[in-house]
DNA sequence: TAGTCGTTTCGCCTCTCCCGAATACCAGTT
DNA sequence: AACTGGTATTCGGGAGAGGCGAAACGACTA
């Protein structure tokens, strides 16, 4: 599951990247801390981190090293790389206003869902942005919407790669159950997430298809369970589907 | 001037990072192209790029490799890492509205200026975001505002490291001239950029000081030269200085 | 002043990364 | 179908680079 058995990956590069990841998680770290955490010699950690600093990917503040703003440029680049992403940003905002719920545009990469654009709901005081967050496809509304419109072979590949880990009691854990649900989603046109990722939170997701017929991503709205049911919910779904369609159209015309 | 001869930088890591940089510049590339450009063997380029792919930092589309969305998370992290950056974002937007000019919040890192937040002017159709862009400090309004409030020793360090390259005919190229201007900037409280970075573009920049007395960054507005002069310009400066002060206050109170 | 904990330097040994050659692949072209 | 030029990819071996450990250095405490 965690594989790196026989491949020819560059160990040096891998440790460098692990350090980058660690610096994000810890919001900066010292040499010893890095060494302890990654099980390498302090001197080794030191070499890596100074290399990163010389390349200006890391800044040193006192004795702790932090990720530098060079990543800002890279992040901004990948976000604006595809013109379609720009369209998606606009409609994510529209969706947030019309639904008054937290809205997200997600795409698939390496078998995971990645939040590309997010917009807070009216009530939302989401202090910290979740752009770039990676989630599982099988436990989120947008993720399931995406899976539902992928070739079955691809879905199986993804399951093999990342598995179907349980995040809450409601998370779909069984492959057959998942495929059944995906069929259902295809029929009705949207996907649900009933506390499958986070207890107390429900979401609705709609696929966004590209002009080639491949699924491009998904739009979703989320909120506390008690504000996501009944006729209120039906209205939400309608708004969501409408905007997803507008986005598809807008993409097709560009 | 260019490089660190005798240091113990990890060559493997450095080439990996050069590849990342190349993939951004070219917006994706194939193995041969990378090898040619960085003067390494194709097989080597291949190993690097597959390592990056295995770590999910790069995606393969056909036979070309692209930067992946993992950088989105890193970029978002560094942008939101400091609470102060959040404040700056708000006031950058306010500045853009009140000045009706393109507004930018810049901080210094590794002797360069980095755009952390940008907001388009009223007329601006800046299609592509310049967040994360790296500029010289000596040829920009915000940059000079920052330099003016740094310890002199630090300024000299920076000049030694990055030099004073000419970007237009107006760029300050001489160290003494620069120090004279910095003194002037300190006196009047704001910095000017009269077509020193881009011909036809002028800008005004104001420092944003932190509570500790260190300079935290700078706010600036920019526009075509003919819309940046006379009494119109005086009003701009006033607005700019006012908002910079508000930002300083807001930071001090948090 | 001694003691502790962290970072940084440096020489050495080994392991890994880089190269080159061979192979696989693909799309035109004859 | 065979040939061709252009790619990507695999793989073995040699040289050089990266990782380790020891020791020096520096900051802070008792």
């Amino acid at each position: 599951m965690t594989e790196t058995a026989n491949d020819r990956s560059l160990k040096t590069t891998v440790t460098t990247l692990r350090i980058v990841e660690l610096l994000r998680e810890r919001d900066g770290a010292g040499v010893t801390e890095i060494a302890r955490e990654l099980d390498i010699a302090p001197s080794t950690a030191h070499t890596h981190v100074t290399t990163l600093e010389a390349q200006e990917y890391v800044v040193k503040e006192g004795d702790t090293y932090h990720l530098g703003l060079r990543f800002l440029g890279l992040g901004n680049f990948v976000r604006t790389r595809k013109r379609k992403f720009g369209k998606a940003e606009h409609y994510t905002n529209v969706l947030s206003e019309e639904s008054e719920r937290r809205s997200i545009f997600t795409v698939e990469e390496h078998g995971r869902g990645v939040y590309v654009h997010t917009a807070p709901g009216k009530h939302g005081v989401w202090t910290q942005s979740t752009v770039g967050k990676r989630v599982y496809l099988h436990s989120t509304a947008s993720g399931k919407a995406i899976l539902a419109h992928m070739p079955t072979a691809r879905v199986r590949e993804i399951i093999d790669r990342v598995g179907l880990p349980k995040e809450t009691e409601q998370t779909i854990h069984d492959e057959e159950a998942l495929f059944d649900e995906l069929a259902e989603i295809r029929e009705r046109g949207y996907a649900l997430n009933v506390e499958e990722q986070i207890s107390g939170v429900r979401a609705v997701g709609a696929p966004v298809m590209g002009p080639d017929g491949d699924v491009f991503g998904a739009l979703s709205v989320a909120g506390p369970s008690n504000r996501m049911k009944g006729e209120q919910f039906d209205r939400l779904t309608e708004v969501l589907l409408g905007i997803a369609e507008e986005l598809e159209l807008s993409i097709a015309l560009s």
Side-chain angles (χ1 to χ4, degrees), chain A:
Chain A
M1 190 118 330
T2 27
E3 289 317 310
T4 46
N6 62 341
D7 69 331
R8 294 182 139 235
S9 277
L10 301 175
K11 300 202 173 172
T12 309
T13 296
V14 172
T15 26
T16 294
L17 295 176
R18 287 178 70 199
I19 289 177
V20 167
E21 204 52 48
L22 186 72
L23 290 184
R24 185 182 68 175
E25 279 166 21
R26 299 283 173 104
D27 192 9
V31 171
T32 316
E33 188 178 355
I34 296 170
R36 183 174 2 97
E37 209 59 30
L38 303 186
D39 200 36
I40 54 181
S43 53
T44 305
H46 182 256
T47 318
H48 278 267
V49 92
T50 47
T51 302
L52 282 168
E53 195 198 4
Q55 301 299 312
E56 307 191 350
Y57 281 85
V58 153
V59 291
K60 186 181 179 183
E61 292 173 7
D63 267 348
T64 56
Y65 294 85
H66 290 270
L67 294 189
L69 292 170
R70 180 147 281 203
F71 289 105
L72 197 50
L74 293 170
N76 186 59
F77 171 78
V78 296
R79 181 208 253 118
T80 55
R81 193 166 82 75
K82 305 196 177 183
R83 172 166 308 179
K84 301 170 183 177
F85 286 172
K87 309 272 187 187
E89 176 169 28
H90 172 68
Y91 286 100
T92 306
N93 292 332
V94 172
L95 179 57
S96 151
E97 278 161 34
E98 295 202 13
S99 69
E100 299 188 339
R101 299 288 187 291
R102 173 167 161 80
S103 306
I104 304 176
F105 177 71
T106 308
V107 303
E108 178 269 342
E109 192 178 280
H110 287 292
R112 307 285 303 267
V114 185
Y115 293 175
V116 174
H117 293 295
T118 66
K122 203 131 203 165
H123 305 265
V125 195
W126 282 80
T127 158
Q128 122 160 341
S129 166
T130 52
V131 167
K133 184 173 179 182
R134 301 169 84 78
V135 297
Y136 288 103
L137 294 172
H138 72 286
S139 65
T140 52
S142 9
K144 289 195 286 183
I146 291 172
L147 286 178
H149 296 272
M150 272 179 172
T152 313
R154 186 81 196 291
V155 178
R156 283 197 204 280
E157 262 179 45
I158 292 176
I159 296 175
D160 283 354
R161 180 172 294 273
V162 306
L164 296 175
K166 254 178 133 54
E167 305 216 86
T168 72
E169 273 311 308
Q170 315 307 320
T171 309
I172 298 177
H173 189 58
D174 175 62
E175 184 160 337
E176 283 320 304
L178 178 60
F179 277 107
D180 288 351
E181 173 139 355
L182 294 186
E184 212 176 311
I185 290 166
R186 272 190 296 275
E187 254 182 62
R188 71 170 171 236
Y190 60 90
L192 293 179
N193 166 2
V194 187
E195 314 202 2
E196 294 159 50
Q197 184 197 17
I198 302 167
S199 336
V201 175
R202 295 186 188 185
V204 205
V208 178
M209 307 298 289
D212 47 6
D214 293 358
V215 54
F216 168 59
L219 278 171
S220 64
V221 294
S225 292
N226 57 32
R227 294 186 59 241
M228 298 284 290
K229 56 186 175 185
E231 60 212 27
Q232 207 183 33
F233 173 81
D234 295 337
R235 194 187 64 81
L236 272 185
T237 315
E238 222 171 294
V239 169
L240 172 66
L241 290 173
I243 293 179
E245 202 163 332
E246 283 184 50
L247 174 52
E248 283 181 355
L249 211 66
S250 163
I251 288 172
L253 297 179
S254 69

